[in-house]
Amino acid sequence: MDGVLDEPLTKTLGPATAKVMAENLDLRTVGDLLHHYPRRYEERGQLTRLAELPLDEHVTVVAQVADARVLTFNGGRGRRLEVTITDGTGRLQLVFFGRGVHRPQKDLLPGTRAMFAGRVSVFNRKLQLAHPTYERLDAESGEGAVSAFAGRLIPIYPACKGLESWKIAKAVDAVLPHATEAVDPLPATLREGRGLVPLPQALLKIHRPQTKADVEAARQRLKWDEAFVLQVALARRRYADAQLPAVARRPVPDGLLDVFDARLPFTLTEGQRKVSAEIFGDLATEHPMHRLLQGEVGSGKTLVALRAMLAVVDAGGQSAMLAPTEVLAQQHHRSVVEMMGDLAEGGMLGGAERATKVVLLTGSMGAAARRHALLDLATGEAGIVIGTHALIEDKVQFHDLGLVVVDEQHRFGVEQRDALRGKGRQPPHLLVMTATPIPRTVAMTVFGDLETSVLDQLPAGRSPIASHVVPAADKPHFLARAWERVREEVETGHQAYVVCPRIGDDLDSSADARGRSPEDEAEKRPPLAVLDVAGQLAAGPLKGLRVEVLHGRMAPDDKDAVMRRFAAGEVDVLVATTVIEVGVNVPNATAMVIMDADRFGVSQLHQLRGRVGRGSAPGLCLLVTEMPEASPARARLGAVAATLDGFELSRIDLEQRREGDVLGQAQSGVRSSLRVLAVIEDEEIIAAAREEAVSVVAADPELAALPELRTALDALLDKDREQYLDKG
């Protein structure tokens, strides 16, 4: 930004406050602080809902003291002040110890109203704030202090320990006069056309609103900033990509693709045909395809990708497929070789005449096998290579790389895409596949530089999956019945998965870090572990069945051996972690029991469930939980059990998570800079901003006439990102 807004906060606020802001909230300049918006607003006459406080979060509440009493302990030597505050919906206990009791004892008399801030903890199964800081809101604290708290609406800022919301509010007061100098990134015509308030005014209104309408106008405007600047960044990337040269790859008649298609034992679904046509259209152009292929687990994405790879081989190029893990790369390699048969045996005796070579390249391969694979790639002998990120290393040289297929983009940053791009003589075409259904707006923000294709019908022969919630705590006999169902499936010749959140023997607390309701004792125990559960099942309800384990800490060879045995039907029940979430294909597996299902996200449960019902027999998925009936966790599991539509579930999932997570994890190319934009609710704004951005960039790709927009882009994209965007 320009001069003043770039000033470090140390100048305005003093070193101590500035240090806390920088370390805890990542706020370093005047501009950063101006864009640190209130999370919500309290009205002086209203109180927050104490009934809905999140555990373990730093909260600010406005409430009234109901009663206060001093208790002594240790024979009168220790003193504790307990204050109960209320807001009409709930009560909350505040506790002060030792010397710290004197001031609050005087200040917090029954009837006093104040703002309290602290971390919510649990003591004796009750919520409490220990040693909260507070700021009184009553007549004695001087009308001045109260009215300085902004007319009627009190802004509550995202705060942290050592920096309460009201201290942030005072700091904002100090920098607010500079808001008038904020440079407005929106082109004037767009702003006027959409009736949006100018940026300086929006900043004043969001920090110090007089009315709710002020807040609304400000948020609307700031949402547009975020959506528009992000979409311009993405539109510029698409524009730059469209200027890049690429070799057009058109399939040849009677080539590998035709031979492959002629041998397929089934016909392609309508969706597969449509998506293939989109992909072949892109491959035939002189600039690189950038397409996102979304499809439910089992919708046949791999087949669609393989046909594109074969078309490129026909056209004289090579194709590379990148998987996030070795296990997955090996599975893709196996399934591609199986689908192709002797067409994958190019240059070998018995290979078909149109055949090519399909090689695997992973980090843990032996040196000799690796040398061989690298040679096949460099000479062009291998038309298709499947591997992990090992493919991106400097040593790997391609003869003529024409297409890169990336599986599961959310585990694969943009930098790696670029490194791989540099491998071709000209940038290769790019196809990104994901089995995580992404609502349209998220696709527009997270993958905004890719065109999107969706495979939404399951191929014929895939069976429906019945899902049920098993409330183990309320109805223990349901769990017993679940194990009987598993036995029944095995007795009819099928196989089953049992999924657990943890491996075992490591009391890994990370799974326990999510905020939980204290009333719930079930939540106190660590999540169930594979090693424990496998032992209990083999000795108990599944005695006599062949039970084996699979988890991420096993050696790659051991993992592979277990998977092979399971695929070959030599194992009845596989007790596993989410290692099996992606890519395991065992059509004979018909049942899945997910233990502690409430510890998984909605999309993750949907992914896991997609592992059963892959054959002709119907699938069964049992979601076991000890959460009480009324809990949000149970509602979430109910939603998963109620629908097989991944897009519907991903909406539910997003509404429950904070949007920042979605963007932050998914795309390293853009800072998770969404502060007021909610990806789901603001669908219209995102779509409209995308249209505006496309026309702005088409008219003026360098944004020469819009210096303010350029400035905002630079602020959004760190310098190295910007260069990475330009690098294309």
Side-chain angles (χ1 to χ4, degrees), residues 497-504 506 528-531 548-554 559 574-582 584 592 594 600 604 608 611:
Y497 298 99
V498 177
V499 182
C500 304
R502 211 162 53 86
I503 298 173
D506 55 328
L528 290 168
V530 165
L531 301 174
E548 293 209 24
V549 300
L550 179 71
H551 58 73
R553 279 211 307 266
M554 290 162 59
K559 276 195 267 207
L574 188 61
V575 183
T577 53
T578 52
V579 192
I580 61 155
E581 174 183 359
V582 271
V584 177
M592 175 178 288
I594 302 179
F600 298 99
Q604 204 177 17
L608 285 166
R611 300 285 127 224

Side-chain angles (χ1 to χ4, degrees), residues 215-369:
V215 176
E216 204 28 59
R219 289 182 67 100
Q220 205 58 10
R221 161 61 218 242
L222 294 164
K223 281 178 178 184
W224 256 96
D225 275 20
E226 288 180 10
F228 180 71
V229 174
L230 181 58
Q231 291 301 339
V232 167
L234 294 165
R236 289 193 67 213
R237 186 138 104 208
R238 287 195 303 271
Y239 181 85
D241 284 344
Q243 310 311 306
L244 292 173
V247 180
R249 311 278 178 176
R250 299 183 182 84
V252 284
D254 300 326
L256 192 53
L257 178 63
D258 284 353
V259 178
F260 175 79
D261 280 351
R263 296 183 176 185
L264 276 178
F266 48 82
T267 52
L268 296 178
T269 65
E270 184 60 37
Q272 286 171 329
R273 275 202 294 274
K274 182 179 113 273
V275 169
S276 288
E278 292 169 349
I279 292 172
F280 287 141
D282 287 357
L283 287 175
T285 59
E286 308 276 319
H287 46 114
M289 159 168 84
H290 287 115
R291 192 167 278 283
L292 173 68
L293 172 56
Q294 282 181 249
E296 290 282 357
V297 171
S299 55
K301 290 186 300 297
T302 317
L303 176 64
V304 168
L306 176 55
R307 293 184 69 244
M309 296 194 322
L310 295 175
V312 169
V313 173
D314 275 343
Q318 290 169 296
S319 297
M321 185 181 219
L322 264 166
T325 63
E326 296 217 343
V327 173
L328 255 176
Q330 288 161 340
Q331 281 166 11
H332 276 312
H333 181 253
R334 265 206 299 278
S335 63
V336 163
V337 168
E338 274 167 25
M339 285 201 245
M340 288 176 64
D342 61 358
L343 294 175
E345 293 169 4
M348 302 183 210
L349 277 171
E353 66 175 291
R354 291 266 183 275
T356 185
K357 235 185 199 176
V358 179
V359 299
L360 176 67
L361 190 62
T362 63
S364 66
M365 280 168 81

Side-chain angles (χ1 to χ4, degrees), residues 41 43 147 149-154 204-216:
Y41 303 86
E43 292 180 63
S147 56
F149 260 20
R152 235 165 41 78
L153 294 171
I154 304 172
L204 286 168
K205 283 183 187 231
I206 199 150
H207 287 294
R208 298 294 170 262
Q210 296 298 308
T211 61
K212 287 186 169 162
D214 282 354
V215 176
E216 204 28 59

Side-chain angles (χ1 to χ4, degrees), residues 553-565:
R553 279 211 307 266
M554 290 162 59
D557 292 353
D558 298 348
K559 276 195 267 207
D560 221 44
V562 171
M563 268 324 300
R564 274 216 188 86
R565 286 202 297 278

Side-chain angles (χ1 to χ4, degrees), residues 31 84 113 135 158-159 172 202 215 228 230 293 301 334 389 392 396 416 507 511 542 551 572 658:
T84 307
R113 277 177 109 90
E135 179 102 345
V172 169
V215 176
F228 180 71
L230 181 58
L293 172 56
K301 290 186 300 297
R334 265 206 299 278
H389 296 105
I392 302 170
V396 182
Q416 289 126 312
L507 276 163
L542 301 184
H551 58 73
D572 298 321
R658 297 216 172 81

Side-chain angles (χ1 to χ4, degrees), residues 647-663:
F647 288 89
E648 179 53 34
L649 289 173
S650 68
R651 279 191 86 101
I652 295 170
D653 200 14
L654 262 181
E655 281 158 9
Q656 296 188 331
R657 286 208 312 251
R658 297 216 172 81
E659 266 82 16
D661 307 347
V662 180
L663 298 183

